[in-house]
Amino acid sequence: MKKIVKLIVSILLLLSSNSLFAAPVNDNCSSSTTLSVYSYCSPTSGTISGASTQKANQDVWYKFVASASNVNVSVNANFDAEVYCFSSCSNSVSFASVDNSTSGLENLNLTGLSVGSTYYIAVANYYSSTPSNPNFTICAQALVATNDVCTSALTITSGTSCNYVAGTIAGATKQYKNNDVWYKFIAQSATTNIKLSSDFDGVLSLYSACGSSSYELLTVDNSYSLEQLNLTDLNVGQVYYINVSSYSTIESYTDFNLCVTNQATLVNDNCSSASTLIQSNSCSSTIGTIANATSQYSNFDVWYKFVANSTNAQIQVTADFDAQIRTYSSCGNSTYSLKEDNTSSGTETLYLNDLVIGQTYYFSVNNYNSSVASYPEFTVCVKSSNPPVNDNCSNAINLPYSYSCNGVTSTLENATFQRENNDVWYKFVATKTSHDISVFPNFDAVINLYSGCSNSSFSYSDNSGTGGTEILSYSGLIVGATYYISVSSYGSSIPSDPSFMICNSALNSPPVNDNCVDATTLVIKNTCTKTTGSILNATTQVKNYDVWYQFVATSSTANVSVDSDFDSQIRLYSNCSDLSNILQSVDDHSGGYVETLNLTGLVTGKTYYICVSNYSSSITSTPVFDICIEGQEALAVDNELILKSVKVFPTVVDNELKIEIVNDLNFTKLEIRDLQGRLISSLNTIEPFNTINVSEWTSGLYFVSIYTKDSSQTYKVIKK
């Protein structure tokens, strides 16, 4: 009897197990569940539990018949959901998709659909592993825009400044252009600016009346996110119609902002009415424009003046048009003293020397081109050019010898000419007969070596072009003697990115921790206490250019973090005699990110070995990294929570940097700094979704730090 009972229980458990892990009925596109399309969101429950992978991780399928040309599909999930739309089950690539959140609501706005056609929706997991909560809800909602045709255009007021009105092309059909919606305004001035800022590739058009596409006066589609119409001959009092549309027929992002600004004659249109700027130690930018400017001495020039409070100064202008800076001794003199025009757009910097303190100086900002600029705004500042502390050989900074390349960050900014162009100075005491001086610049660097400040250079290096590593290797030094190094630029002008890193090392020798048996000792700390290392000249023991560290476990868990500009990898070993047995490893990110290996199952008191290597087999130009090991206490957990709670994207940014708060951890502030540590932007009030305009930033690496009361996390982004 007991055997029969056991047999029945086993059968029931087997049936329960099969039911628990059975694939959902809509596991494949061919068995898609039908969604009804309503004018409101009517959620349907779903799950990816047990789902296989057809076109994305653990995808399940739905289908709907389009009752309108614009439909929004909403998915609310407890995991990091991805939503895809296909025109048929046979298509291998979706025509629209969305994944904006790590959990919560995803909205896929579908535009330009064919009414009556069937479309297929896949709901998938961003990660390949099954989430702890695989459930979600989904709905399909037809959208209709209220200003879908010209005759129902919404009124927008023309003001003296840009006051954005939020809009959307969601629910729009095509009257003249893709997904177009309409606005109208009464012209208050003959010169008017219309600005469109959008999350999609927007098209901005102006019409004189409704009723025919032939009434179109102007249209613009110059960029992805910002379009402007600069109008100069409107009839005051006449009604004009604005058409906002998308370049593509299908758009996943549909929101935009629109403003209309009537523009009066500029107050600083002539030298005699030049606006006053204050010369300061840092660049305190003032916003200006050449819109509606006349031409006094050059194309569409506007005017500024400042009183010199130091003998050296910089004028910086950042613009989307080809800006020129010209200085004048007085308003009555049409011949400029100096001119700067090095870039077709971006930042122009004019360096002024030998100024007379207390004297007033005039300068103009103008367009190189004779045509009206589509984007006439710019920023301008005047700042003092204080040279760096090591601008002269007599103030050379000590650069001690290290076996591996432990780099020192520096800059040529504001450097003057002593022996070479924009040179800065270092010194060292020779500890051996041969030293290697390495410079990792963002410009075309030159290295010179001197035996004294009054002596001529006896060795130099200029083997690489812009951004290339310069290495000066010299043998025959006198141990104990002091030598001087100048770092300069090949060209006479200050480079656009004057930053560099320099080190004094045994460059051609492998690092001291090149092998496991020579591992450098690390000590576990409660917080990340960084140790600088390098894979420069490292050989390969288990992986590309690997170097080694060791530590004694103080608990069963710890975190190892490596912060590098190359694509670093971390491996954990229990001993050096069997390097085929990897206990744990990590390589989650590409270069420029922090790799963190969360160690578990450690034996207290036992020695473990860490291997840091490069994913790439190629030699990296940025071999330096920081490593630390910390006990898994509150701070580490808090940092992990921040990583999961904040999205910073894109990592390579052109115009707009987006910061999304997925989970609110009571963040106190957000700061963005450049490579020199200068504060570029900050937020004291952090919204769920934050957008920062970076279009005027200089190209290069920036650090985004977000803070809680007792912790912080830093992300790296690159401005194109």
Side-chain angles (χ1 to χ4, degrees):
M1 182 66 182
K2 290 182 178 179
K3 291 183 178 180
I4 295 174
V5 171
K6 288 182 178 180
L7 178 61
I8 293 172
V9 170
S10 298
I11 293 172
L12 290 174
L13 288 173
L14 179 61
L15 292 173
S16 173
S17 176
N18 289 337
S19 173
L20 180 63
F21 296 103
V25 294
N26 57 342
D27 189 41
N28 293 296
C29 183
S30 57
S31 57
S32 296
T33 298
T34 300
L35 288 177
S36 297
V37 180
Y38 298 104
S39 60
Y40 54 91
C41 178
S42 179
T44 296
S45 297
T47 184
I48 61 169
S49 177
S52 61
T53 296
Q54 185 176 11
K55 297 185 179 181
N57 294 327
Q58 307 154 45
D59 50 357
V60 292
W61 291 81
Y62 296 85
K63 63 181 178 181
F64 68 90
V65 177
S67 59
S69 60
N70 300 291
V71 173
N72 180 66
V73 177
S74 296
V75 172
N76 198 344
N78 293 302
F79 55 91
D80 191 349
E82 299 176 321
V83 188
Y84 301 87
C85 187
F86 298 81
S87 57
S88 71
C89 288
S90 60
N91 292 126
S92 59
V93 179
S94 65
F95 68 82
S97 63
V98 68
D99 179 15
N100 288 330
S101 303
T102 55
S103 66
L105 187 64
E106 297 285 358
N107 282 309
L108 181 59
N109 291 307
L110 303 172
T111 59
L113 303 182
S114 298
V115 176
S117 295
T118 300
Y119 295 89
Y120 297 84
I121 301 294
V123 179
N125 186 8
Y126 174 80
Y127 298 99
S128 58
S129 58
T130 302
S132 58
N133 188 340
N135 301 323
F136 63 89
T137 61
I138 184 172
C139 69
Q141 180 181 359
L143 301 174
V144 178
T146 57
N147 55 339
D148 191 41
V149 294
C150 183
T151 53
S152 59
L154 298 177
T155 298
I156 186 169
T157 302
S158 175
T160 56
S161 61
C162 177
N163 297 312
Y164 274 127
V165 172
T168 181
I169 60 170
T173 59
K174 178 179 180 179
Q175 185 172 13
Y176 300 143
K177 301 175 185 291
N178 294 326
N179 313 304
D180 53 356
V181 291
W182 293 84
Y183 294 83
K184 61 183 178 180
F185 71 97
I186 299 174
Q188 304 296 318
S189 171
T191 54
T192 298
N193 173 264
I194 303 174
K195 187 179 296 183
L196 170 68
S197 174
S198 63
D199 293 331
F200 54 90
D201 189 353
V203 181
L204 182 61
S205 305
L206 183 70
Y207 291 76
S208 60
C210 295
S212 172
S213 60
S214 63
Y215 293 135
E216 181 181 294
L217 300 175
L218 289 169
T219 189
V220 64
D221 181 15
N222 289 329
S223 69
Y224 185 85
S225 59
L226 182 66
E227 301 293 349
Q228 293 191 77
L229 283 174
N230 291 304
L231 311 170
T232 58
D233 56 354
L234 298 186
N235 295 320
V236 176
Q238 181 176 329
V239 176
Y240 291 89
Y241 295 83
I242 303 169
N243 180 284
V244 177
S245 61
S246 62
Y247 175 79
S248 302
T249 56
I250 303 293
E251 290 290 352
S252 298
Y253 302 95
T254 56
D255 295 335
F256 63 84
N257 288 300
L258 182 71
C259 73
V260 180
T261 308
N262 53 69
Q263 298 173 326
T265 303
L266 295 172
V267 294
N268 60 338
D269 191 43
N270 292 293
C271 181
S272 58
S273 56
S275 297
T276 299
L277 296 178
I278 304 299
Q279 180 183 345
S280 58
N281 290 329
S282 60
C283 183
S284 181
S285 293
T286 296
I287 298 175
T289 182
I290 59 170
N292 302 322
T294 60
S295 300
Q296 186 173 8
Y297 297 147
S298 50
N299 298 324
F300 312 108
D301 49 0
V302 292
W303 291 82
Y304 296 90
K305 63 182 178 181
F306 70 96
V307 177
N309 56 30
S310 67
T311 57
N312 300 306
Q314 297 177 25
I315 301 173
Q316 289 186 1
V317 172
T318 301
D320 287 329
F321 60 91
D322 190 352
Q324 293 182 324
I325 310 171
R326 302 169 188 245
T327 61
Y328 296 83
S329 58
S330 65
C331 284
N333 187 356
S334 62
T335 303
Y336 61 84
S337 306
L338 293 171
K339 183 180 76 170
E340 184 72 14
D341 182 13
N342 285 329
T343 63
S344 58
S345 65
T347 300
E348 298 285 357
T349 303
L350 180 60
Y351 294 88
L352 306 175
N353 300 314
D354 301 321
L355 300 180
V356 177
I357 296 176
Q359 183 171 321
T360 299
Y361 292 86
Y362 296 83
F363 69 93
S364 68
V365 178
N366 66 277
N367 191 2
Y368 169 80
N369 298 303
S370 58
S371 56
V372 176
S374 299
Y375 304 96
E377 289 81 14
F378 61 87
T379 60
V380 59
C381 71
V382 180
K383 72 172 186 175
S384 300
S385 297
N386 297 318
V389 293
N390 58 337
D391 189 47
N392 293 296
C393 182
S394 58
N395 295 321
I397 294 175
N398 189 42
L399 188 67
Y401 168 83
S402 62
Y403 187 84
S404 59
C405 181
N406 295 328
V408 174
T409 301
S410 189
T411 181
L412 300 186
E413 186 173 11
N414 300 332
T416 61
F417 181 104
Q418 185 176 14
R419 297 287 186 85
E420 303 290 337
N421 297 320
N422 318 305
D423 48 1
V424 291
W425 292 80
Y426 298 86
K427 64 182 178 181
F428 68 94
V429 176
T431 58
K432 47 188 291 189
T433 58
S434 62
H435 281 241
D436 300 306
I437 308 301
S438 304
V439 172
F440 306 93
N442 293 310
F443 54 90
D444 188 354
V446 181
I447 309 173
N448 278 274
L449 186 62
Y450 302 81
S451 59
C453 287
S454 59
N455 299 331
S456 299
S457 167
F458 64 84
S459 183
Y460 78 97
S461 176
D462 183 17
N463 296 320
S464 303
T466 301
T469 300
E470 288 292 345
I471 301 172
L472 192 158
S473 299
Y474 191 83
S475 299
L477 300 177
I478 300 173
V479 176
T482 300
Y483 294 89
Y484 296 83
I485 306 160
S486 73
V487 178
S488 57
S489 61
Y490 176 78
S492 60
S493 60
I494 296 286
S496 58
D497 186 351
S499 60
F500 65 91
M501 187 177 72
I502 183 172
C503 66
N504 175 16
S505 65
L507 190 63
N508 296 317
S509 303
V512 291
N513 58 341
D514 189 46
N515 292 294
C516 181
V517 293
D518 298 315
T520 299
T521 300
L522 297 176
V523 178
I524 296 177
K525 300 289 187 179
N526 289 332
T527 58
C528 178
T529 303
K530 294 180 179 180
T531 297
T532 301
S534 174
I535 61 170
L536 190 65
N537 291 329
T539 60
T540 298
Q541 189 169 12
V542 296
K543 194 60 177 175
N544 303 320
Y545 315 107
D546 48 8
V547 292
W548 294 82
Y549 297 86
Q550 62 179 343
F551 69 94
V552 177
T554 56
S555 66
S556 62
T557 61
N559 291 334
V560 179
S561 297
V562 171
D563 187 357
S564 67
D565 286 330
F566 61 90
D567 189 352
S568 60
Q569 299 176 318
I570 310 174
R571 293 175 174 82
L572 180 70
Y573 297 86
S574 61
N575 57 68
C576 292
S577 59
D578 183 11
L579 297 181
S580 63
N581 183 21
I582 303 173
L583 300 181
Q584 290 181 245
S585 64
V586 69
D587 183 9
D588 289 339
H589 305 289
S590 58
Y593 291 89
V594 177
E595 292 285 359
T596 299
L597 181 59
N598 299 310
L599 308 178
T600 59
L602 301 179
V603 178
T604 301
K606 180 177 173 56
T607 299
Y608 292 88
Y609 297 85
I610 301 167
C611 173
V612 178
S613 61
N614 189 4
Y615 170 80
S616 173
S617 60
S618 302
I619 297 175
T620 176
S621 62
T622 54
V624 178
F625 62 88
D626 290 324
I627 184 172
C628 71
I629 181 166
E630 56 183 324
Q632 196 171 15
E633 297 182 3
L635 183 58
V637 173
D638 196 34
N639 282 349
E640 183 179 358
L641 283 175
I642 295 176
L643 283 171
K644 293 180 178 179
S645 301
V646 179
K647 276 189 172 183
V648 178
F649 61 98
T651 54
V652 180
V653 62
D654 191 6
N655 292 314
E656 289 186 341
L657 179 66
K658 299 181 184 295
I659 296 135
E660 180 182 355
I661 307 302
V662 180
N663 296 311
D664 188 3
L665 301 180
N666 296 319
F667 295 109
T668 57
K669 65 177 179 178
L670 182 145
E671 293 181 343
I672 301 177
R673 297 181 181 272
D674 63 10
L675 196 59
Q676 285 75 48
R678 295 173 296 196
L679 183 65
I680 304 301
S681 181
S682 63
L683 294 175
N684 292 322
T685 301
I686 304 174
E687 302 296 336
F689 197 88
N690 307 271
T691 300
I692 297 176
N693 184 356
V694 303
S695 60
E696 296 176 352
W697 291 6
T698 302
S699 298
L701 182 65
Y702 292 83
F703 301 89
V704 181
S705 299
I706 189 164
Y707 297 82
T708 63
K709 180 180 178 182
D710 54 6
S711 187
S712 66
Q713 183 62 42
T714 299
Y715 305 79
K716 295 181 180 180
V717 296
I718 297 173
K719 171 65 171 69
K720 287 183 180 179

